[in-house]
Amino acid sequence: MSDPISSLLASGADQVAARVFADVFTHDAPSPQPFREVRARLTALAGATERRRFLTTSAMAEPAYAGGLEVVLLWERALLAARISSGDQGLFIVVLREGEAARASGDAYTAALSRLLESRRS
């Protein structure tokens, strides 16, 4: 776990996922959001830099891509948000009902974290 994103997720994946959710899906942010927004917020949170390149198999092996998918999978398990594909437009993330409730709560981070932790107990 030498890369900053893996280290950040290892220190508290649910807290990281909640922070990225609150940052990407602010109260007035559109849904769906491009997956690149998740990667960018995660990269910034880790204090890392993301290499920009075309989506290839090697690009998918980058820590920002894998870490972003891990965050989205946590959101999916908690029913906060889900992946959708837009053909050649790429991967997008759409907010689900629980995610909309978290956004509307006034404290999206705490609401998202609560859902994430609750989903682990299920």
Side-chain angles (χ1 to χ4, degrees), residues 81-120:
R83 293 165 288 168
I84 59 172
S85 177
S86 183
D88 60 348
Q89 296 290 320
L91 189 60
F92 286 80
I93 312 301
V94 63
V95 177
L96 302 175
R97 286 182 308 169
E98 294 293 340
E100 289 295 353
R103 285 187 349 159
S105 72
D107 185 354
Y109 169 78
T110 301
L113 181 58
S114 176
R115 285 290 308 161
L116 288 159
L117 293 173
E118 189 177 300
S119 71
R120 282 203 185 268

Side-chain angles (χ1 to χ4, degrees), residues 21-107:
F21 180 86
D23 289 350
V24 170
F25 292 110
T26 60
H27 182 66
D28 58 347
S31 175
Q33 282 281 338
F35 179 63
R36 71 177 174 271
E37 291 299 321
V38 174
R39 291 190 335 255
R41 301 298 170 112
L42 180 60
T43 300
L45 192 60
T49 56
E50 183 177 7
R51 290 186 233 165
R52 298 276 184 202
R53 57 183 171 186
F54 294 105
L55 189 58
T56 63
T57 305
S58 61
M60 289 181 199
E62 289 292 321
Y65 197 93
L69 282 178
E70 184 174 338
V71 164
V72 173
L73 286 169
L74 291 170
W75 294 348
E76 288 178 338
R77 185 183 64 210
L79 298 176
L80 291 167
R83 293 165 288 168
I84 59 172
S85 177
S86 183
D88 60 348
Q89 296 290 320
L91 189 60
F92 286 80
I93 312 301
V94 63
V95 177
L96 302 175
R97 286 182 308 169
E98 294 293 340
E100 289 295 353
R103 285 187 349 159
S105 72
D107 185 354

